[in-house]
mmCIF file of all heavy atoms in Angstrom:
data_model
loop_
_atom_site.group_PDB
_atom_site.id
_atom_site.type_symbol
_atom_site.label_atom_id
_atom_site.label_comp_id
_atom_site.label_asym_id
_atom_site.label_seq_id
_atom_site.Cartn_x
_atom_site.Cartn_y
_atom_site.Cartn_z
ATOM 1 N N GLU K 340 -8.277 -0.975 -7.239
ATOM 2 C CA GLU K 340 -8.706 0.406 -7.523
ATOM 3 C C GLU K 340 -7.650 1.283 -8.177
ATOM 4 O O GLU K 340 -7.980 2.324 -8.757
ATOM 5 C CB GLU K 340 -9.219 1.049 -6.222
ATOM 6 C CG GLU K 340 -8.139 1.535 -5.261
ATOM 7 C CD GLU K 340 -7.429 0.416 -4.484
ATOM 8 O OE1 GLU K 340 -7.806 -0.758 -4.586
ATOM 9 O OE2 GLU K 340 -6.452 0.746 -3.779
ATOM 10 N N SER K 341 -6.372 0.914 -8.043
ATOM 11 C CA SER K 341 -5.347 1.851 -8.535
ATOM 12 C C SER K 341 -4.123 1.079 -9.029
ATOM 13 O O SER K 341 -3.927 -0.093 -8.693
ATOM 14 C CB SER K 341 -4.923 2.780 -7.399
ATOM 15 O OG SER K 341 -4.299 2.020 -6.367
ATOM 16 N N ASP K 342 -3.264 1.805 -9.779
ATOM 17 C CA ASP K 342 -2.013 1.188 -10.246
ATOM 18 C C ASP K 342 -1.145 0.790 -9.056
ATOM 19 O O ASP K 342 -0.473 -0.240 -9.073
ATOM 20 C CB ASP K 342 -1.237 2.197 -11.112
ATOM 21 C CG ASP K 342 -1.976 2.528 -12.399
ATOM 22 O OD1 ASP K 342 -3.126 2.053 -12.546
ATOM 23 O OD2 ASP K 342 -1.432 3.255 -13.238
ATOM 24 N N TRP K 343 -1.214 1.621 -8.014
ATOM 25 C CA TRP K 343 -0.457 1.311 -6.794
ATOM 26 C C TRP K 343 -0.890 -0.043 -6.256
ATOM 27 O O TRP K 343 -0.073 -0.895 -5.919
ATOM 28 C CB TRP K 343 -0.717 2.399 -5.734
ATOM 29 C CG TRP K 343 0.148 2.277 -4.521
ATOM 30 C CD1 TRP K 343 1.287 2.995 -4.259
ATOM 31 C CD2 TRP K 343 -0.013 1.375 -3.405
ATOM 32 N NE1 TRP K 343 1.838 2.585 -3.068
ATOM 33 C CE2 TRP K 343 1.060 1.610 -2.521
ATOM 34 C CE3 TRP K 343 -0.956 0.403 -3.078
ATOM 35 C CZ2 TRP K 343 1.218 0.906 -1.323
ATOM 36 C CZ3 TRP K 343 -0.802 -0.303 -1.881
ATOM 37 C CH2 TRP K 343 0.266 -0.055 -1.031
ATOM 38 N N ARG K 344 -2.157 -0.262 -6.200
ATOM 39 C CA ARG K 344 -2.716 -1.511 -5.638
ATOM 40 C C ARG K 344 -2.281 -2.712 -6.459
ATOM 41 O O ARG K 344 -1.906 -3.754 -5.920
ATOM 42 C CB ARG K 344 -4.234 -1.408 -5.596
ATOM 43 C CG ARG K 344 -4.925 -2.452 -4.778
ATOM 44 C CD ARG K 344 -4.578 -2.459 -3.329
ATOM 45 N NE ARG K 344 -4.754 -1.174 -2.678
ATOM 46 C CZ ARG K 344 -4.261 -0.884 -1.470
ATOM 47 N NH1 ARG K 344 -3.552 -1.776 -0.817
ATOM 48 N NH2 ARG K 344 -4.453 0.284 -0.922
ATOM 49 N N ASP K 418 0.700 -1.499 4.366
ATOM 50 C CA ASP K 418 0.179 -0.294 3.742
ATOM 51 C C ASP K 418 -0.586 0.562 4.739
ATOM 52 O O ASP K 418 0.022 1.269 5.535
ATOM 53 C CB ASP K 418 -0.675 -0.674 2.516
ATOM 54 C CG ASP K 418 -1.224 0.538 1.833
ATOM 55 O OD1 ASP K 418 -0.580 1.617 1.928
ATOM 56 O OD2 ASP K 418 -2.289 0.447 1.231
ATOM 57 N N ARG K 419 -1.890 0.507 4.709
ATOM 58 C CA ARG K 419 -2.656 1.346 5.641
ATOM 59 C C ARG K 419 -2.640 0.706 7.030
ATOM 60 O O ARG K 419 -2.408 -0.495 7.163
ATOM 61 C CB ARG K 419 -4.092 1.493 5.123
ATOM 62 C CG ARG K 419 -4.124 2.039 3.691
ATOM 63 C CD ARG K 419 -5.508 1.984 3.082
ATOM 64 N NE ARG K 419 -5.469 2.359 1.666
ATOM 65 C CZ ARG K 419 -6.539 2.327 0.859
ATOM 66 N NH1 ARG K 419 -7.715 1.966 1.327
ATOM 67 N NH2 ARG K 419 -6.421 2.656 -0.411
ATOM 68 N N SER K 435 3.796 3.274 4.805
ATOM 69 C CA SER K 435 4.357 4.610 4.576
ATOM 70 C C SER K 435 3.924 5.570 5.670
ATOM 71 O O SER K 435 2.864 5.409 6.272
ATOM 72 C CB SER K 435 3.867 5.135 3.215
ATOM 73 O OG SER K 435 4.176 4.206 2.198
ATOM 74 N N PHE K 437 2.229 8.578 5.767
ATOM 75 C CA PHE K 437 1.413 9.331 4.813
ATOM 76 C C PHE K 437 1.419 10.830 5.107
ATOM 77 O O PHE K 437 1.384 11.652 4.183
ATOM 78 C CB PHE K 437 -0.021 8.773 4.821
ATOM 79 C CG PHE K 437 -0.076 7.317 4.497
ATOM 80 C CD1 PHE K 437 -0.417 6.363 5.450
ATOM 81 C CD2 PHE K 437 0.268 6.864 3.234
ATOM 82 C CE1 PHE K 437 -0.434 5.022 5.155
ATOM 83 C CE2 PHE K 437 0.252 5.506 2.925
ATOM 84 C CZ PHE K 437 -0.105 4.588 3.891
ATOM 85 N N ALA K 471 -9.185 5.726 5.086
ATOM 86 C CA ALA K 471 -7.927 5.017 4.812
ATOM 87 C C ALA K 471 -6.773 5.843 5.374
ATOM 88 O O ALA K 471 -6.794 7.075 5.281
ATOM 89 C CB ALA K 471 -7.745 4.837 3.306
ATOM 90 N N ALA K 473 -3.945 6.474 4.237
ATOM 91 C CA ALA K 473 -3.351 7.369 3.227
ATOM 92 C C ALA K 473 -4.205 8.630 3.080
ATOM 93 O O ALA K 473 -3.687 9.741 2.956
ATOM 94 C CB ALA K 473 -3.247 6.636 1.891
ATOM 95 N N ARG K 477 -2.688 12.246 4.240
ATOM 96 C CA ARG K 477 -2.480 13.236 3.171
ATOM 97 C C ARG K 477 -3.424 14.427 3.323
ATOM 98 O O ARG K 477 -3.115 15.538 2.923
ATOM 99 C CB ARG K 477 -2.641 12.558 1.813
ATOM 100 C CG ARG K 477 -1.519 11.555 1.561
ATOM 101 C CD ARG K 477 -1.753 10.660 0.357
ATOM 102 N NE ARG K 477 -0.731 9.613 0.308
ATOM 103 C CZ ARG K 477 -0.794 8.538 -0.461
ATOM 104 N NH1 ARG K 477 -1.839 8.362 -1.282
ATOM 105 N NH2 ARG K 477 0.155 7.629 -0.443
ATOM 106 N N GLU K 499 -11.838 8.590 -4.122
ATOM 107 C CA GLU K 499 -11.729 7.160 -3.765
ATOM 108 C C GLU K 499 -10.535 6.463 -4.419
ATOM 109 O O GLU K 499 -10.596 5.268 -4.747
ATOM 110 C CB GLU K 499 -13.048 6.431 -4.103
ATOM 111 C CG GLU K 499 -14.158 6.870 -3.153
ATOM 112 C CD GLU K 499 -15.471 6.126 -3.351
ATOM 113 O OE1 GLU K 499 -15.428 5.011 -3.905
ATOM 114 O OE2 GLU K 499 -16.513 6.683 -2.975
ATOM 115 N N PHE K 500 -9.481 7.215 -4.695
ATOM 116 C CA PHE K 500 -8.236 6.686 -5.270
ATOM 117 C C PHE K 500 -8.430 6.126 -6.675
ATOM 118 O O PHE K 500 -7.611 5.336 -7.146
ATOM 119 C CB PHE K 500 -7.625 5.593 -4.389
ATOM 120 C CG PHE K 500 -7.043 6.075 -3.078
ATOM 121 C CD1 PHE K 500 -7.375 5.455 -1.887
ATOM 122 C CD2 PHE K 500 -6.165 7.154 -3.037
ATOM 123 C CE1 PHE K 500 -6.850 5.882 -0.671
ATOM 124 C CE2 PHE K 500 -5.626 7.596 -1.835
ATOM 125 C CZ PHE K 500 -5.974 6.965 -0.650
ATOM 126 N N GLU K 525 -4.898 12.786 -4.067
ATOM 127 C CA GLU K 525 -4.272 11.884 -3.101
ATOM 128 C C GLU K 525 -3.732 10.596 -3.731
ATOM 129 O O GLU K 525 -3.239 9.716 -3.010
ATOM 130 C CB GLU K 525 -5.226 11.625 -1.930
ATOM 131 C CG GLU K 525 -5.419 12.915 -1.114
ATOM 132 C CD GLU K 525 -6.150 12.737 0.200
ATOM 133 O OE1 GLU K 525 -6.611 11.607 0.500
ATOM 134 O OE2 GLU K 525 -6.260 13.738 0.955
ATOM 135 N N ASN K 526 -3.799 10.465 -5.043
ATOM 136 C CA ASN K 526 -3.013 9.439 -5.742
ATOM 137 C C ASN K 526 -2.976 9.708 -7.242
ATOM 138 O O ASN K 526 -3.725 10.550 -7.753
ATOM 139 C CB ASN K 526 -3.489 8.018 -5.425
ATOM 140 C CG ASN K 526 -4.639 7.580 -6.319
ATOM 141 O OD1 ASN K 526 -5.437 8.389 -6.783
ATOM 142 N ND2 ASN K 526 -4.714 6.276 -6.563
ATOM 143 N N ASP K 527 -2.112 8.981 -7.958
ATOM 144 C CA ASP K 527 -1.887 9.245 -9.390
ATOM 145 C C ASP K 527 -3.111 8.945 -10.245
ATOM 146 O O ASP K 527 -3.305 9.566 -11.303
ATOM 147 C CB ASP K 527 -0.700 8.399 -9.893
ATOM 148 C CG ASP K 527 0.637 8.929 -9.376
ATOM 149 O OD1 ASP K 527 0.721 10.135 -9.060
ATOM 150 O OD2 ASP K 527 1.591 8.135 -9.286
ATOM 151 N N ASN K 528 -3.913 7.976 -9.837
ATOM 152 C CA ASN K 528 -5.100 7.663 -10.647
ATOM 153 C C ASN K 528 -6.102 8.820 -10.590
ATOM 154 O O ASN K 528 -6.665 9.215 -11.611
ATOM 155 C CB ASN K 528 -5.745 6.362 -10.174
ATOM 156 C CG ASN K 528 -4.817 5.185 -10.398
ATOM 157 O OD1 ASN K 528 -3.871 4.985 -9.632
ATOM 158 N ND2 ASN K 528 -5.032 4.435 -11.471
ATOM 159 N N PHE K 555 0.367 11.749 -5.488
ATOM 160 C CA PHE K 555 1.077 10.783 -4.643
ATOM 161 C C PHE K 555 1.115 9.419 -5.336
ATOM 162 O O PHE K 555 0.227 9.123 -6.144
ATOM 163 C CB PHE K 555 0.351 10.627 -3.282
ATOM 164 C CG PHE K 555 0.362 11.876 -2.446
ATOM 165 C CD1 PHE K 555 -0.587 12.866 -2.652
ATOM 166 C CD2 PHE K 555 1.337 12.078 -1.486
ATOM 167 C CE1 PHE K 555 -0.585 14.029 -1.896
ATOM 168 C CE2 PHE K 555 1.353 13.234 -0.717
ATOM 169 C CZ PHE K 555 0.390 14.217 -0.924
ATOM 170 N N ASP K 556 2.052 8.633 -5.019
ATOM 171 C CA ASP K 556 2.316 7.260 -5.447
ATOM 172 C C ASP K 556 3.568 7.153 -6.303
ATOM 173 O O ASP K 556 4.367 6.261 -6.110
ATOM 174 C CB ASP K 556 1.138 6.594 -6.208
ATOM 175 C CG ASP K 556 0.006 6.200 -5.282
ATOM 176 O OD1 ASP K 556 0.184 6.291 -4.051
ATOM 177 O OD2 ASP K 556 -1.054 5.803 -5.792
ATOM 178 N N CYS K 576 4.964 6.635 -3.000
ATOM 179 C CA CYS K 576 4.401 5.785 -1.952
ATOM 180 C C CYS K 576 4.717 4.381 -2.422
ATOM 181 O O CYS K 576 4.078 3.860 -3.319
ATOM 182 C CB CYS K 576 2.899 6.016 -1.845
ATOM 183 S SG CYS K 576 2.139 4.970 -0.595
HETATM 184 C C1 LIG W 279 -1.162 4.139 -0.056
HETATM 185 C C2 LIG W 279 -2.291 3.281 -0.514
HETATM 186 C C3 LIG W 279 -3.158 4.050 -1.426
HETATM 187 C C4 LIG W 279 -2.416 4.556 -2.649
HETATM 188 C C5 LIG W 279 -3.514 4.483 -3.640
HETATM 189 O O1 LIG W 279 -0.265 3.377 0.671
HETATM 190 O O2 LIG W 279 -3.089 2.871 0.580
HETATM 191 O O3 LIG W 279 -4.187 3.186 -1.879
HETATM 192 O O4 LIG W 279 -1.887 5.837 -2.488
HETATM 193 C C6 LIG W 279 -4.126 3.145 -3.295
HETATM 194 O O5 LIG W 279 -3.105 4.519 -4.965
HETATM 195 O O6 LIG W 279 -5.352 2.991 -3.863
#
Side-chain angles (χ1 to χ4, degrees):
E340 79 285 355
S341 64
D342 294 6
W343 188 99
R344 193 62 54 194
D418 180 28
R419 304 171 187 176
S435 305
F437 302 111
R477 293 169 188 167
E499 290 184 22
F500 290 130
E525 293 190 356
N526 85 331
D527 287 335
N528 295 78
F555 295 84
D556 285 352
C576 179

